[in-house]
Amino acid sequence: EKRREPAPQGPAPSEVVSTAAPSSPSSAGSAGGPEARDPAPALSEGLCGRWKDKRGAVYHVQGAVDGWACSRVDASGKPHRVASLRYDESSDLVWWGGGRAMMCAHPSEVLAQSGWVRWYGSGSDWTPRSAWKWLGRA
């Protein structure tokens, strides 16, 4: 029988650290020097594939010209188009959606490849609004 793991809980605001912060090891040399790295390939490796949320919807993420394209099939099997995902260097976040429904994920969670990505509301509290569990490559 497959064991069900609970979704991770949101971090306390003090635990949320941007990888763009000057003190972050990943920001060393990010001023455009020769050692500056584009995070998009690593984020693609972590995001592209299939994910499932707590309601049973399955998300399929694939690379696109300006980020990632995402489609969703709800628990009843009905397909839906979901807004594109994009990485914003200035905020160091992966954004999903638009307007008031906009959510973001921290690249460190994607790159950790822990099997979960938490999506946070665009407000100032870091309470997860959704969590995706990794299902594998499509």
Side-chain angles (χ1 to χ4, degrees), residues 73-84:
V73 176
D74 65 27
S76 69
K78 183 177 178 184
H80 299 269
R81 169 79 172 116
V82 176
S84 298

Side-chain angles (χ1 to χ4, degrees), residues 50-134:
R50 294 177 342 154
W51 299 86
K52 187 174 188 176
D53 70 14
K54 66 182 179 183
R55 295 184 189 127
V58 174
Y59 297 82
H60 181 246
V61 179
Q62 57 190 21
V65 174
D66 58 347
W68 302 271
C70 180
S71 59
R72 172 175 66 101
V73 176
D74 65 27
S76 69
K78 183 177 178 184
H80 299 269
R81 169 79 172 116
V82 176
S84 298
L85 309 176
R86 65 178 175 78
Y87 173 71
D88 177 60
E89 189 174 347
S90 65
S91 66
D92 190 34
L93 294 168
V94 176
W95 290 95
W96 168 27
R100 291 182 181 206
M102 187 173 257
M103 292 195 278
C104 61
H106 200 275
S108 64
E109 288 191 13
V110 174
L111 299 176
Q113 297 185 357
S114 67
W116 289 94
V117 171
R118 293 176 286 190
W119 293 95
Y120 303 91
S122 57
S124 61
D125 75 342
W126 284 91
T127 303
R129 294 176 75 196
S130 182
W132 291 359
K133 181 168 178 48
W134 177 247

